Amino acid sequence: MKVVAVLLAAGSGKRFGEKKQFIKLKGEPLFQYSLNTINKIDDITDVVLVLPEEDIDRTKVFSFKNVMKVAGGKERQDSVYNALKSVEKADIVVIHDSARPFATEKMFTDGIKNVKEGWDGSITALKSRDTIKEVDRNTVKRTLNREKLYIVQTPQTFVFEKLLYVHEKARENNIYGTDDSFLMEMEGFRITVNEGSALNFKVTTKEDLLLANCLIKGKKPF
Ligand code: CTP
Ligand code: MG
């Protein structure tokens, strides 16, 4: 079974203030951390690294895998689509945000295992530890049942042909979702969860970078 990883690094980092994927942590750019983890997954043979078009030539990549650099699109979903279209043949695809440098090997291997066992997709998710409420114009509307709420992360693993199909369909109908699983769910595909972690946070703002640096250097954040 051919397993391809799509590593997304084509964002513009509006909330961060610059392209965070190239920020160096202990001498290595942020995106390289995920690539180092992907390198350890035997099942994955190929990586599609999605980059801003203007950065493709200057971006140096260290990998034991076959890495193809592809230009991203306007939205994250467009970047995933470009990556999927660049793959000649694959059985399973793993989508990962390079903004999550602390995804573990297990998150990748668990997702791949679930899809190999017959699920259409498997997403890394963490059971909510906080109570989540629906609020509309500063008024609390209701309290959701915490037992059923999960915080969703990446990697997300799917049957390649099925993910390509839902992306094509979403494009035709101009539907945008915040993750790939959403598009699969809309088409009735069966998605399961594999265990995430609070440490698998997404570097979104400068505050997150502070945390990431502390974790990498083994320092206390506060
Ligand atoms: N991403 C991408 N192509 C896009 C937008 C996002 O490949 N057009 C990638 C980012 O590089 C990141 C991941 O998707 O690894 C998650 O996106 P996010 O954290 O939102 O990053 P940015 O879009 O860069 O940040 P912002 O939304 O603040 O601009
Ligand atoms: Mg974004």
Side-chain angles (χ1 to χ4, degrees):
M1 273 207 183
K2 185 172 171 184
V3 185
V4 174
V6 169
L7 184 58
L8 294 167
S12 52
K14 272 192 219 84
R15 285 167 289 179
F16 189 84
E18 59 190 292
K19 288 180 208 162
K20 60 197 182 192
Q21 59 271 48
F22 302 122
I23 290 280
K24 287 200 172 159
L25 297 173
K26 240 188 174 178
E28 280 193 297
L30 187 72
F31 78 83
Q32 184 64 44
Y33 282 80
S34 302
L35 208 46
N36 292 344
T37 306
I38 290 169
N39 262 315
K40 296 181 196 152
I41 318 290
D42 291 336
D43 267 337
I44 299 173
T45 52
D46 298 72
V47 181
V48 181
L49 175 62
V50 192
L51 293 163
E53 189 154 29
E54 66 275 17
D55 298 299
I56 287 186
D57 292 338
R58 66 164 192 92
T59 304
K60 295 209 169 30
V61 177
F62 300 95
S63 178
F64 309 123
K65 313 280 182 189
N66 174 29
V67 179
M68 179 170 31
K69 294 191 231 173
V70 166
K74 193 165 176 286
E75 303 292 334
R76 181 187 182 281
Q77 190 173 314
D78 302 317
S79 292
V80 175
Y81 181 78
N82 288 358
L84 297 177
K85 293 300 276 184
S86 75
V87 175
E88 224 172 81
K89 194 197 123 19
D91 299 297
I92 293 174
V93 63
V94 188
I95 313 286
H96 184 55
D97 291 340
S98 68
R100 296 185 189 272
F102 304 114
T104 61
E105 276 176 68
K106 190 168 184 294
M107 291 171 195
F108 284 89
T109 52
D110 283 353
I112 294 168
K113 184 168 175 276
N114 286 341
V115 173
K116 278 189 175 173
E117 284 175 359
W119 288 93
D120 296 321
S122 180
I123 62 177
T124 305
L126 178 67
K127 207 167 175 192
S128 178
R129 297 167 183 187
D130 302 320
T131 297
I132 300 192
K133 293 185 194 277
E134 194 179 301
V135 179
D136 186 21
R137 282 164 289 174
N138 286 329
T139 305
V140 175
K141 293 291 174 194
R142 62 191 180 115
T143 301
L144 302 163
N145 179 4
R146 193 169 69 180
E147 283 307 301
K148 291 190 173 173
L149 294 177
Y150 284 74
I151 311 286
V152 171
Q153 306 176 333
T154 69
Q156 298 194 348
T157 309
F158 304 99
V159 173
F160 178 81
E161 286 301 333
K162 292 178 180 174
L163 187 66
L164 181 59
Y165 166 78
V166 299
H167 266 271
E168 298 274 15
K169 197 153 178 189
R171 228 176 149 79
E172 273 166 33
N173 299 316
N174 200 28
I175 288 166
Y176 278 86
T178 50
D179 72 352
D180 296 283
S181 179
F182 172 75
L183 303 179
M184 294 284 285
E185 294 155 33
M186 290 241 310
E187 291 301 316
F189 286 116
R190 287 177 67 251
I191 311 294
T192 189
V193 292
N194 55 272
E195 203 179 351
S197 152
L199 295 183
N200 185 27
F201 61 89
K202 184 157 68 80
V203 175
T204 306
T205 63
K206 290 270 153 90
E207 202 177 55
D208 301 318
L209 184 69
L210 181 78
L211 272 178
N213 262 314
C214 292
L215 275 173
I216 286 165
K217 292 176 182 160
K219 279 191 192 158
K220 288 201 183 98
F222 305 107

